Each structure stands twice: as C-alpha cells, then as structure tokens.
Amino acid sequence: MSHMPQPIPLFKVFLPPEEALLPRLRDVLYGGQISEGQPVYDFERRFGDFVELPHVLSFYSGTAALHTALILAGVKPGDEVISTAMTAEPTNMAIRHARARVVWADVDPRSGNLAPAAISARLTERTKAIVVVHYGGIPAPMRAIREIARVRGIPVIEDAAHALGARYEGRPIGDESEYTMFSLQAIKHMTTVDGGMLACRNPDDLPRGRKVRWFGIDRQTPRTEVDVDVVGYKYHMNNVNATIGLVQLDFIGSVIARHVANGRYFDGQLRGISGLELCMGDEAAEPSYWFYTVLADRRDDLSRYLTEHGIGNSLAHRRNDLHSVFADSRCELPGLDAFYSRMLHIPCGWWVSDDDREFIVDRLRDGW
Ligand SMILES: Cc1ncc(COP(=O)(O)O)c(C=O)c1O
C-alpha cells in the first residue's frame, strides 16, 4: 500500500499567505530603502519578543550569526572550541571561520545531543567556548552544560537553528546562555528566505556585534568621520528579508504549535514498536520537533520501506567528523557511532495532517 495521493515530504517551506505578504513586500521593494533600515530594527525587536530574549541582532544567515557570536565570545585563532559532530556543517564551519580548532565532544546515543560528561572530558586550558546544538529541535541537557561552563568561566553558544520555539526548564531556549543563534534559512520552522538571529545575554555585546556585521563601521557615526577599529564583515540583514520576517511572525506561533502537536503525537503513539526507539531529551526538555528522529534496528531497511510508502525520511546530515576539512579534530566518538548508525528522521512539521500522522504510525506498527 502506498500513501495517497501525495508523498509526505520531510521538509517544507512555510510562507505566509500571498495577501498578507505581497503588499508588504511590494511596499519595501519599491519604497527606496532595501538595505538595512527600520524594518530590520523592527524585526529584531519583534523576534526578540517572540523568543523571549531581549537583546537580538539580525544577520543574513545563521552561519554569519554564529561566526559573530564566536568573535564576541573572544575566540581567537588557535583557541579550542568544543562542539558536536552531529549537526549541519555550518555549526563547525563557523568555528573554522574564527580560525579556531574544533574539539569534538561525544553525544548521548539516545538523543544525538552533546553529553555533559563528554564535554568535561574535552576541556583544556585552551577551551574558549562551547557550542551546543539542539539537534532536530530537542533541547540539549543545558542544566548540566551550563554548570560545566559556569565553573570554568567559559561562554556557551547555543545553536538553536532547529529549535525555534523549544523550551527548557519551562523557559525559552537560550534563556541563560551568553549567545543563542536561530537560523531563518529556507526549511527551518520560520524562514525569511535566508537569515539568522543572535540573542546576546549581555546588552554590551550589541554595539560591537553591529560593527562586526557591517565592515567594522558604527552606523550611528557619519560615514566620513567614523573610525573602523575592528575587522567587520558584510553580514547584515536587509529590509526585504526583515519584512518577510515581520509578516512570518504573525503566523509562526501556529506553525510551531503544529510541529509540537505532531511530535507529541508520535511520542505517544510510537512507543513499544519492536525495533524502534524514540529520541528523548532530559525531563526539562520541551522540543519544538523540527523533524522527528527515531532510532531503528535495520535503519536502512526502514528508510527504504518508508520511501516505498511515500513517507519522506533521511539522515539529513553527515556526521561532521567524517569531513576532510575537520580531519585534524578526529577522535573516538562511541556515542555518536551508536546514534548515527540507527538514526532516521521522519516528517512531523506543520504540513503533516492528522491523516498523514496516523498513516505514518500505522506503517511503522506494521513493521519493515
Ligand atoms: C544546526 C545548524 N546550524 C547552523 C545552520 C546554519 O544556518 P544558516 O543556513 O542560516 O546559515 C544550520 C542550517 O543551515 C543548521 O542546521
């Protein structure tokens, strides 16, 4: 039996209805100001309200936001940054942009998220930051990770690219860390076509962050009088992307709510299936379920079976330690070996209807 009438994709772009978006886009496109201006600042404020983190800077990508976070955290060439290999490449490429050394810590084989004890084991004198990914939208064990960082006085940079709307200990994701990045790339919970947001715990980071994102220039000072005293990049967001973001914010609450409803449905319905385990965070984690990850015996057979039934599925990411560019960081990662050999992502986003999710559960119960 195959899924009728349409296959269920693993990812799908959400954009607001045309009647909400196009008039606003037309106004900004032909309004004479398309680079960084008021819509960008309005978007930063409203996004900050949405994620309940007050000090937010916008960027043209999440990768640019991560690179800037590393600079603001004081990471210098040759420093060590602890990170996870179970992520998309940009997490770790940003560390290389800062010309720092990527040090892998192992993951918990039940969630794919960094294991606190593994972070402790990789700390050295040269560790200058810890980058934590909430893989697939499941919050990492932040209580323990923050404690490790606090004791050593090391900043934590949360890569919340998959975790917009997730919560931890009843608080919004990123609540306590020095820096938290959200990606607004095409297939994330929320997109501005491309974009990234950086929440900074310390408001003093904002002026420096604004300089780093725009050639080192302080935009408050007249251009011919300004002195550029730091290396800056062309990382700013423009008014067009920001306008898409402003309109998205009117819809995104219900989009994320549907990811969460589907994820919780799977949490309830997929228990006890032979050969299938569910991915779980700790008891304080409230995931926002960007995709839904299962751990399966005979994973490749399951993948083929789901594809035959029109159910999108994929590994989505190659463990980053396998890439040549990170060869000098290689080390034993048994937790990741266990997770990576069994993980498979299935759809649970806003486009997965009640019928779709029942169909997915039924096929998994049938066995593969
Ligand atoms: C975990 C993770 N971190 C960082 C990024 C980078 O975000 P962007 O594509 O907005 O640069 C992505 C996605 O692309 C991601 O999945």
Side-chain angles (χ1 to χ4, degrees), residues 333-352:
L333 297 168
L336 180 56
D337 296 340
F339 181 79
Y340 192 70
S341 63
R342 301 184 71 216
M343 75 161 187
L344 192 65
H345 310 309
I346 61 174
C348 78
W350 57 270
W351 59 94
V352 176

Side-chain angles (χ1 to χ4, degrees), residues 61-63 66 87-88 90-91 133 159 161-162 181 183 185 188 195 317:
S61 72
T63 313
L66 271 182
T87 183
T91 308
V133 175
D159 176 339
H162 301 175
M181 180 281 281
S183 165
Q185 176 267 346
K188 297 294 164 14
H317 304 111

Side-chain angles (χ1 to χ4, degrees), residues 83-365:
S83 182
T84 172
M86 193 59 261
T87 183
E89 288 76 3
T91 308
N92 295 308
M93 206 47 93
I95 298 171
R96 296 294 294 270
H97 292 164
R99 293 168 54 213
R101 192 174 129 69
V102 175
V103 175
W104 305 126
D106 204 1
V107 303
D108 181 334
R110 293 163 306 177
S111 68
N113 281 330
L114 282 175
I119 295 176
S120 296
R122 303 310 309 273
L123 286 168
T124 74
E125 302 280 279
R126 294 179 299 283
T127 309
K128 289 292 159 30
I130 303 170
V131 175
V132 180
V133 175
H134 306 296
Y135 190 60
I138 298 179
M142 291 310 298
R143 195 185 310 127
I145 293 173
R146 284 233 45 89
E147 184 57 15
I148 292 165
R150 192 190 60 75
V151 168
R152 288 290 298 266
I154 297 169
V156 173
I157 301 172
E158 294 188 40
D159 176 339
H162 301 175
L164 182 64
R167 299 179 79 80
Y168 189 79
E169 294 187 314
R171 302 287 308 143
I173 203 80
D175 189 44
E176 280 191 51
S177 290
E178 283 71 16
Y179 304 97
T180 301
M181 180 281 281
F182 299 91
S183 165
L184 305 176
Q185 176 267 346
I187 57 170
K188 297 294 164 14
H189 286 95
M190 169 172 159
T191 185
T192 53
V193 178
D194 255 321
M197 306 303 272
L198 183 66
C200 303
R201 188 163 167 72
N202 183 349
D204 295 344
D205 279 323
L206 298 181
R208 210 153 60 91
R210 290 191 186 104
K211 288 210 279 188
V212 169
R213 79 177 175 191
W214 206 61
F215 309 126
I217 297 172
D218 170 11
R219 289 172 81 99
Q220 308 300 322
T221 309
R223 185 74 176 260
T224 50
E225 290 165 30
V226 76
D227 177 47
V228 173
D229 57 358
V230 294
V231 174
Y233 300 82
K234 188 166 170 178
Y235 278 177
H236 69 287
M237 179 176 277
N238 64 54
N239 286 350
V240 181
N241 296 114
T243 298
I244 297 173
L246 282 165
V247 181
Q248 285 281 41
L249 284 173
D250 294 337
F251 296 88
I252 208 62
S254 57
V255 169
I256 294 173
R258 183 67 196 179
H259 280 255
V260 171
N262 284 335
R264 289 186 181 159
Y265 177 84
F266 287 147
D267 283 346
Q269 298 292 317
L270 295 180
R271 272 171 213 284
I273 294 178
S274 161
L276 199 77
E277 247 181 90
L278 306 188
C279 263
M280 288 290 154
D282 66 22
E283 71 294 341
E286 294 174 51
S288 60
Y289 301 94
W290 182 44
F291 45 49
Y292 194 87
T293 307
V294 293
L295 301 173
D297 296 346
R298 295 186 298 104
R299 184 264 317 276
D300 296 342
D301 290 343
L302 173 60
S303 174
R304 267 189 297 276
Y305 168 82
L306 292 173
T307 303
E308 276 164 23
H309 287 281
I311 300 168
N313 67 92
S314 147
L315 303 189
H317 304 111
R318 185 171 196 227
R319 52 187 279 182
N320 287 189
D321 58 325
L322 298 182
H323 291 302
S324 316
V325 72
F326 299 123
D328 59 354
S329 299
R330 274 198 193 138
C331 63
E332 299 281 300
L333 297 168
L336 180 56
D337 296 340
F339 181 79
Y340 192 70
S341 63
R342 301 184 71 216
M343 75 161 187
L344 192 65
H345 310 309
I346 61 174
C348 78
W350 57 270
W351 59 94
V352 176
S353 67
D354 286 3
D355 284 351
D356 289 339
R357 69 191 195 181
E358 278 170 34
F359 178 80
I360 293 171
V361 168
D362 288 347
R363 294 296 71 75
L364 286 167
R365 284 189 182 149

